[in-house]
Amino acid sequence: MMSLMIVRVTDPLVPRAIFGILNTLLYFPSGPLYPVQAFPVWLKWIARIDPFTYAVHGFKAVLLKGVGIAAIWPDVLYLGVFAVLMFAFATLLFKRTL
């Protein structure tokens, strides 16, 4: 996702600013500090599309509950599909020059 956002950026300082802001904005609605089930409806929709939510859910399940891959396969599937889509879009936008 980060590659897709900076594929056309020429200033080297812009990616750092974007990464810092985006990581902060995506971290809090992902559920590491507060359960997603207690969020207001509008924040639940943001958490539903946030890839951090699926990573946090998978990490919590593996580290705290000791489950295997069978319990977290939906999280891994979402993250895999999301990564492939972001990579495909970034590849399409990438400047091909010599």
Side-chain angles (χ1 to χ4, degrees), residues 11-85:
D11 185 10
L13 295 177
V14 172
R16 286 189 221 161
I18 291 174
F19 294 166
I21 292 169
L22 192 62
N23 280 334
T24 302
L25 291 176
L26 292 177
Y27 174 75
F28 289 106
S30 65
L33 303 175
Y34 199 74
V36 175
Q37 296 81 11
F39 287 167
V41 175
W42 63 272
L43 194 53
K44 284 182 184 178
W45 281 102
I46 293 172
R48 185 176 295 272
I49 60 171
D50 181 7
F52 283 26
T53 303
Y54 297 93
V56 167
H57 181 264
F59 286 141
K60 280 183 176 180
V62 170
L63 294 174
L64 301 176
K65 297 178 184 173
V67 299
I69 191 73
I72 62 167
W73 72 266
D75 299 325
V76 174
L77 179 67
Y78 180 86
L79 290 171
V81 169
F82 188 83
V84 167
L85 287 174

